[in-house]
Amino acid sequence: MTVLVTGGAGYIGGHMTLGLVDAGEKVVVLDNLSTGFAWAVQPPAELVVGDFGDSALVARLIREKGVDAIAHFAAKIVVPESLSDPLGYYDNNTAKALSLIRCAVEGGVRRFIFSSTAAVYGETSAEPVAEDALLKPISPYGRSKLMVEWMLQDASRAYGLKYVALRYFNVAGADPQGRLGQSTPNATHLIKRGVQTALGRFPSMDVYGEDYPTRDGTCVRDYIQVTDLIDAHLAALAYLRTGGDSLTCNCGYGHGATVKEVIEVVKRVSGVDFKVNYAPRRAGDPAAIVAKAERVREALGWRPRRDDLDAIVRQALDWERRLHNRLGPPGPA
Ligand code: UDP
């Protein structure tokens, strides 16, 4: 039994690769290295450099590697970019996912784990959002992922493919053993930008909007530690292998932090009081997104073990230092 991990050289997929290898699974990573890194995939995981939309390649891997499950991470993930390049997002995240799902069905792979996103909800209230809430994504990114959820639902009914779609809230932090972290040089995520600013990579950082209807006017997000998130994927794999039915679950902690609160944590943990500018709202940003996260606990038996924003920021900072000082694996230039 082999798990095919698309995007397994990237940030979240790379942590999945580590988690699977740690659990003794056979792993084949399919990644085009557009944003991932070959060094992130360590033996015994095998790296195949290629595109998950290449159906001939995927069909061959399924056949030759004895793939019994696909964990699909490869995607474009930057919300503002999806607004300026929607068709690129629909092509990569939706059309190529159709090809991948078809390969799974035709190749007899009956288990599929999909990286979905809280962006499928769109504008939510300050209340935690449940899986059965209205799905009204406000960005092409969110829509590109929601369409894949729909394809999986229909494929599940028609062909018996079983899937777990995990809707990620804000994934952050790094491998607690220091083997991997968010390595994309131009990542725009709040905690990444914060620790990079604390380390002097940027002279200051921007807060996008302070007129939101939240407790301090800045956006609220539910930050989930990446290894905790991967535990939910490993639980999903076990669930599918023991005959579990198709399922969609939120992955978050059920409480959120504002942008200002996150920046305070970054300053405290790093000990650096960097400059913060207040900038206009960023297009496509909902005011608050917090998970109602009961289903993932009840259906998959998942338990959060690393729900600690200080520790998440410390991991991100430690990883950034590794990249920065070129200790550990060679990072980007
Ligand atoms: N954000 C910010 N400054 C930054 C990066 C992000 O104020 O340099 C805000 C962003 O507007 C959003 C929140 O931080 O309200 C989280 O953004 P991120 O890009 O990390 O994740 P998203 O919620 O967009 O997936």
Side-chain angles (χ1 to χ4, degrees):
M1 290 199 297
T2 300
V3 183
L4 177 65
V5 182
T6 73
Y11 171 49
I12 304 175
H15 283 85
M16 178 68 167
T17 302
L18 285 178
L20 287 166
V21 167
D22 288 349
E25 296 280 349
K26 261 186 84 185
V27 182
V28 173
V29 168
L30 177 58
D31 198 302
N32 66 6
L33 301 182
S34 58
T35 55
F37 299 95
W39 53 258
V41 182
Q42 299 285 339
E46 181 188 347
L47 172 64
V48 175
V49 179
D51 200 304
F52 72 91
D54 178 345
S55 56
L57 173 61
V58 172
R60 183 169 63 74
L61 291 176
I62 289 173
R63 210 174 43 243
E64 289 180 359
K65 306 290 179 186
V67 171
D68 81 302
I70 295 175
H72 176 42
F73 293 87
K76 287 173 173 277
I77 58 156
V78 182
V79 171
E81 186 186 60
S82 81
L83 291 159
S84 57
D85 180 25
L87 297 183
Y89 273 65
Y90 293 130
D91 181 38
N92 194 77
N93 293 2
T94 314
K96 287 183 185 175
L98 165 62
S99 156
L100 182 69
I101 296 167
R102 185 182 283 131
C103 287
V105 170
E106 291 176 356
V109 178
R110 300 179 62 83
R111 304 173 189 103
F112 198 101
I113 299 174
F114 174 55
S115 297
S116 190
T117 168
V120 297
Y121 297 115
E123 282 292 354
T124 58
S125 71
E127 296 304 311
V129 61
E131 289 84 351
D132 57 2
L134 184 67
L135 301 175
K136 229 175 154 214
I138 59 174
S139 66
Y141 168 67
R143 284 191 277 274
S144 73
K145 290 276 187 170
L146 180 54
M147 285 192 271
V148 180
E149 288 197 12
W150 287 335
M151 289 193 285
L152 285 169
Q153 270 173 29
D154 293 337
S156 178
R157 281 191 206 107
Y159 315 117
L161 173 80
K162 300 293 180 201
Y163 71 89
V164 175
L166 296 171
R167 292 181 182 155
Y168 307 163
F169 284 63
N170 286 61
V171 186
D175 173 49
Q177 296 178 45
R179 295 171 293 180
L180 194 61
Q182 170 57 274
S183 307
T184 318
N186 301 320
T188 53
H189 294 110
L190 177 64
I191 293 179
K192 173 89 176 174
R193 290 294 294 220
V195 299
Q196 286 182 319
T197 309
L199 291 175
R201 294 274 283 270
F202 300 102
S204 62
M205 75 175 290
D206 289 338
V207 171
Y208 300 129
E210 41 165 6
D211 57 349
Y212 285 99
T214 60
R215 55 183 176 265
D216 64 15
T218 64
C219 291
V220 173
R221 297 288 184 270
D222 184 340
Y223 294 91
I224 177 170
Q225 198 275 344
V226 63
T227 317
D228 264 358
L229 178 75
I230 294 312
D231 285 350
H233 291 70
L234 298 176
L237 181 62
Y239 167 88
L240 291 173
R241 281 185 175 156
T242 51
D245 209 351
S246 295
L247 183 71
T248 299
C249 292
N250 284 342
C251 287
Y253 288 140
H255 56 84
T258 68
V259 173
K260 281 186 184 170
E261 288 163 357
V262 169
I263 290 175
E264 280 317 304
V265 174
V266 174
K267 287 185 174 184
R268 179 159 43 75
V269 167
S270 66
V272 181
D273 185 15
F274 50 83
K275 187 166 181 291
V276 173
N277 309 311
Y278 288 92
R281 290 183 177 196
R282 193 175 67 175
D285 272 346
I289 320 181
V290 175
K292 200 160 185 326
E294 270 84 55
R295 190 183 287 175
V296 63
R297 295 169 186 244
E298 284 158 16
L300 299 182
W302 176 79
R303 294 289 174 275
R305 295 196 290 151
R306 302 170 187 89
D307 176 4
D308 176 346
L309 194 54
D310 280 35
I312 289 172
V313 167
R314 198 168 304 115
Q315 290 162 3
L317 191 65
D318 287 348
W319 177 255
E320 201 59 39
R321 278 201 187 99
R322 276 204 168 80
L323 284 178
H324 201 61
N325 299 332
R326 294 174 177 273
L327 298 173

